[in-house]
Amino acid sequence: WVGVAQAQLALNNFVSPHAYPPFQRLSMAAAKPKVSFKITLASEKTQPFKVITVPEEAPFLACLKFAAEEFKVQAGTSAVITNDGVGINPNQSAGEIFLKHGSDLKLIPRDRVGGITA
């Protein structure tokens, strides 16, 4: 009887997995990986910057447009470079840019890109 009583007690304390609605699983595998960029406006003396975080697969051109809007400069005539001065082709994913060039980037409005000064 002792064994039967223990088994009955175990059954009484058992909670079926179907007794509650399924939990929303927030595992790392289900979450989309993200990358962050620190984009500095190179044309200003104070060097203001914005940090943006986007999904890895986001088009970097969208990141460029967003940063340009935040700095109130024209996106279509702006360039993004690394701290070493290497130009970045924005027709790639944010993840590719992050892996190739890192997170610290500079935004240069067109009036400062390749302009000839007299």
Side-chain angles (χ1 to χ4, degrees):
W1 287 95
V2 173
V4 173
Q6 287 176 342
Q8 186 64 37
L9 182 61
L11 283 175
N12 289 341
N13 292 333
F14 174 75
V15 177
S16 169
H18 304 289
Y20 298 100
F23 292 103
Q24 182 176 2
R25 292 178 180 86
L26 297 176
S27 67
M28 289 305 290
K32 291 185 178 184
K34 297 184 181 227
V35 292
S36 293
F37 296 104
K38 177 186 173 191
I39 301 178
T40 305
L41 184 59
S43 62
E44 296 289 325
K45 288 185 179 182
T46 59
Q47 300 273 311
F49 67 91
K50 302 281 182 186
V51 176
I52 61 172
T53 302
V54 296
E56 278 184 356
E57 64 272 356
F60 188 73
L61 191 57
C63 301
L64 168 62
K65 288 179 180 178
F66 177 77
E69 287 175 8
E70 290 291 307
F71 289 122
K72 297 177 179 52
V73 297
Q74 290 185 345
T77 57
S78 295
V80 177
I81 62 171
T82 65
N83 282 338
D84 298 330
V86 177
I88 296 175
N89 178 1
N91 296 323
Q92 304 173 62
S93 72
E96 289 173 317
I97 299 290
F98 182 81
L99 289 175
K100 290 178 186 176
H101 303 288
S103 63
D104 203 7
L105 306 174
K106 291 184 178 182
L107 179 70
I108 304 176
R110 182 63 166 183
D111 64 343
R112 307 293 176 139
V113 176
I116 300 172
T117 57

